[in-house]
Amino acid sequence: MLAPLREKLTGATATAAETRLQLIADNCEYARLQAGLVHAALLGLAEELAEVRARLRSTLTEAAEHGYPVADDGSVSYPETLDEDGGVRYEAGTAVRSGSVIGRLLDRVGLPLSGHPVVAQQLADRIGGALQAAADIDTRYARTLRELVCDRGILITDAMWRDAQSDLETAATSIRGIGDVGDIPAGGTPEENADWWRGLTEAEQDTFLALRPADIGALDGLPSETRDMANRSVLQMEEARLRGELTEHLALSTSLGEPGGMDRGEWKERREQLQQQLAGIDAINARFAQSGKPADGGEALPEAYLLGFDTEGLGHAIVANGNPDHADHTAIYVPGTGSNLSGAAGDINRMVDLWRSSNAVAGGDSVSTITWIGYDAPQDVFPDATQRSYAYDAAPGLSRFTAGVEAVQGGPEASHTTVIGHSYGSTVVGAAAKEGGIAPDDIIAVGSPGMLVSRADDLGIGSEHVWSMAAGPFSGDDLIGEGDKVPDLGRWYHGESDFGIHQGPLGIPYVDPDFVPNVPSDRLFGANRMETDSIDHSGYWDRGSTSLVNQSWVVVGRYDEVGLE
């Protein structure tokens, strides 16, 4: 409801309505999570009690077959036992559950498995054990349900989200069977993940969403709406946790001596880390708030989908503009050196601008553009970005994600897909393509230092579908730039040994004179070299730029419109 409200209405009334509606949306999300935990607890209770009930019914059936009456308290009556000569061997009596573990063991294994008293005692122990198990289960779930208590009131606070995180942890550890993390496919292909999810009942899906949102949100091959729902819960709880931790951390600075037992440098480092992660979360929330809002007279932005999120290490986020599951054209953007959760705003906005530009020339087709900050990128040019290991480590994750998008869409022919790699991100794309992990319709390498292959044909989709863009030295009436230096670095650091630095006589480094160019913007590489008006390494997505429009033509498959050098 928020998106059409933002698109159609402006002014103070619209702003007030949006604020109130957002408050209701927050309540709905919070209630969905908490109600989901209650639902999961009740399902878990029913499942565990059903197992106990089955054991109890089996024992009662066996008692009935022996002709032994069972009282309401679980005691079992048995008749007298006569010897062959007619004498009484055992008198009639009633067996109750043994009072000790040792006694129950003796009754079960220390006596012959015959005779009315022995059989009756075994039955009584089994009945008593089932009743005790049911009581224990009831106590455990009652304790869990008592923890799932929400504060009254319509305002959803950070404290309530932190409490929700605690509730989730309590429920996840106490609810057994249904929703167990071991039931989620481990290492499955996106197709296997999709089959598993489709095979669950609606109640089972709801249970996994409530108990395991982080696991479900990260599962490639699941519908975007499902992943978005799961990841938004994770984001809300992580945001509340981080804000609470930052508040406590800042309070340490007022204490005497070293704050909280750490030196001043450690305190500052942790403060900056918390602030940076929250900055990334703020960027994602800002994109959510843009849905439905027109800008520069263009069409309103579509809904955003959070297809991946975590704060581990540098943090990761995957944000889609529009639902890729039903898109006619899909673009997946892989950023390069320095990308992480804290800097997500710039990468998210680049794909927002690419969506606006591509949607404008799509001729009515639907477009989805995705920011994939799904890997641990090198954070510094030297020495990190000169290493190939980051790209090879990232390649499997990119391969799984692209395969997951394709699986949900309905196969490789369901959507025209373009993968865009910027800077070191193009190296990741090259590693994935080199290993046979991705086969999109088109690949665009922007400001690339190299893609780990020597020819465009080596990327597996045909050189006619490989595109490159690199800014050279530029001067105009108002702008002067030195161009993009990253491809130059790629040309220098080329070869099999750390991009080709060799040690010559006296230790003087030199470049192998017989090297084969691997930088996509070199003519010998064989890619389509697109025109660009960027003056540096970062201007390829400036609104209205030739660089952005040329990428849009590729994204929507209108190749004849692309300006080439």
Side-chain angles (χ1 to χ4, degrees):
M1 294 174 66
L2 281 166
L5 172 68
R6 293 166 180 154
E7 181 178 3
K8 302 296 183 183
L9 301 177
T10 59
T13 301
T15 300
E18 180 177 342
T19 300
R20 299 290 291 274
L21 191 56
Q22 184 62 60
L23 188 60
I24 294 172
D26 292 343
N27 273 265
C28 288
E29 173 60 19
Y30 184 79
R32 183 196 67 78
L33 178 63
Q34 292 285 9
L37 294 178
V38 173
H39 181 236
L42 294 177
L43 286 178
L45 172 64
E47 182 176 286
E48 290 196 51
L49 287 179
E51 295 175 359
V52 176
R53 182 175 61 180
R55 297 205 315 265
L56 181 60
R57 283 181 169 174
S58 175
T59 306
L60 292 175
T61 298
E62 188 176 342
E65 290 173 351
H66 283 287
Y68 297 170
V70 179
D72 291 343
D73 63 359
S75 60
V76 179
S77 299
Y78 56 91
E80 66 178 9
T81 303
L82 300 178
D83 290 326
E84 293 181 359
D85 60 3
V88 176
R89 184 177 184 183
Y90 298 114
E91 294 183 353
T94 299
V96 298
R97 190 185 187 202
S98 301
S100 67
V101 174
I102 295 177
R104 291 196 297 272
L105 288 174
L106 289 174
D107 286 332
R108 290 179 181 179
V109 301
L111 296 174
L113 299 179
S114 63
H116 295 314
V118 175
V119 174
Q121 185 62 59
Q122 290 177 328
L123 293 171
D125 285 343
R126 285 159 55 188
I127 291 170
L131 294 175
Q132 184 60 54
D136 292 343
I137 292 169
D138 181 74
T139 299
R140 173 159 47 85
Y141 277 93
R143 183 169 56 249
T144 298
L145 289 167
R146 281 196 299 270
E147 293 290 328
L148 305 180
V149 177
C150 306
D151 293 338
R152 292 167 100 44
I154 195 170
L155 182 63
I156 307 299
T157 64
D158 284 345
M160 293 173 68
W161 280 113
R162 288 193 292 271
D163 179 68
Q165 176 67 50
S166 176
D167 290 345
L168 189 150
E169 293 170 356
T170 298
T173 55
S174 62
I175 298 174
R176 299 173 186 170
I178 189 167
D180 189 87
V181 69
D183 294 332
I184 300 175
T189 65
E191 292 79 7
E192 291 169 340
N193 296 339
D195 289 342
W196 169 76
W197 185 254
R198 285 192 296 264
L200 300 176
T201 65
E202 184 177 355
E204 289 170 336
Q205 290 179 351
D206 289 342
T207 298
F208 277 104
L209 275 169
L211 288 178
R212 311 289 175 186
D215 296 308
I216 298 303
L219 211 55
D220 294 310
L222 269 57
S224 292
E225 289 188 354
T226 298
R227 297 183 69 172
D228 177 65
M229 184 182 298
N231 285 315
R232 289 200 191 207
S233 295
V234 176
L235 182 141
Q236 291 273 24
M237 290 183 288
E238 274 296 280
E239 180 180 5
R241 181 187 68 81
L242 291 171
R243 292 197 189 283
E245 185 176 345
L246 178 60
T247 299
E248 294 176 358
H249 191 74
L250 292 176
L252 293 176
S253 66
T254 62
S255 63
L256 297 176
E258 299 299 339
M262 63 180 71
D263 63 44
R264 188 64 59 175
E266 291 175 334
W267 178 88
K268 182 179 179 181
E269 182 180 355
R270 182 55 180 159
R271 180 198 66 188
E272 292 176 350
Q273 183 182 35
L274 291 169
Q275 291 173 333
Q276 289 169 355
Q277 289 184 324
L278 286 167
I281 291 175
D282 289 341
I284 296 171
N285 285 328
R287 173 58 190 92
F288 292 157
Q290 285 182 295
S291 296
K293 288 186 177 179
D296 302 331
E299 188 171 345
L301 274 183
E303 285 287 349
Y305 294 82
L306 188 58
L307 305 183
F309 175 80
D310 67 67
T311 58
E312 296 178 9
L314 299 170
H316 309 91
I318 307 172
V319 181
N321 302 293
N323 191 337
D325 300 0
H326 313 295
D328 297 310
H329 305 283
T330 307
I332 301 170
Y333 165 67
V334 184
T337 300
S339 60
N340 53 48
L341 177 60
S342 66
D347 292 320
I348 291 173
N349 289 335
R350 284 175 175 175
M351 287 304 97
V352 166
D353 290 333
L354 182 62
W355 183 89
R356 293 189 191 280
S357 179
S358 300
N359 184 67
V361 298
D365 287 352
S366 57
V367 178
S368 177
T369 59
I370 304 171
T371 299
W372 188 78
I373 311 175
Y375 77 110
D376 292 325
Q379 296 300 294
D380 299 295
V381 175
F382 297 106
D384 293 350
T386 66
Q387 306 301 314
R388 296 169 170 161
S389 58
Y390 289 91
Y392 284 117
D393 289 344
L398 178 60
S399 299
R400 286 192 300 271
F401 178 75
T402 56
V405 171
E406 181 180 286
V408 179
Q409 288 172 336
E413 305 303 322
S415 178
H416 172 256
T417 301
T418 304
V419 176
I420 304 170
H422 178 224
S423 191
Y424 194 89
S426 68
T427 311
V428 174
V429 174
K434 181 180 178 182
E435 299 295 319
I438 61 171
D441 296 285
D442 293 281
I443 291 175
I444 303 177
V446 182
S448 174
M451 301 186 74
L452 304 179
V453 296
S454 298
R455 294 285 187 266
D457 277 334
D458 296 336
L459 294 173
I461 60 172
S463 61
E464 68 275 15
H465 288 287
V466 179
W467 310 79
S468 71
M469 184 180 292
F474 174 88
S475 63
D477 294 337
D478 302 310
L479 297 174
I480 297 176
E482 295 183 354
D484 192 340
K485 297 300 183 184
V486 170
D488 290 336
L489 294 175
R491 294 182 184 98
W492 180 256
Y493 291 97
H494 173 72
E496 294 301 320
S497 168
D498 288 335
F499 292 93
I501 292 184
H502 300 278
Q503 296 295 322
L506 304 178
I508 299 175
Y510 73 97
V511 178
D512 186 347
D514 298 320
F515 80 94
V516 177
N518 74 328
V519 175
S521 52
D522 289 338
R523 292 189 183 278
L524 287 177
F525 189 81
N528 299 290
R529 304 198 328 158
M530 295 191 288
E531 292 180 348
T532 175
D533 52 357
S534 176
I535 63 173
D536 54 28
H537 190 57
S538 303
Y540 300 102
W541 291 272
D542 290 348
R543 291 188 183 183
S545 66
T546 298
S547 307
L548 182 63
V549 172
N550 274 332
Q551 290 179 72
S552 298
W553 291 128
V554 175
V555 168
V556 300
R558 296 176 62 179
Y559 307 128
D560 292 343
E561 303 288 347
V562 180
L564 299 176
E565 291 185 349

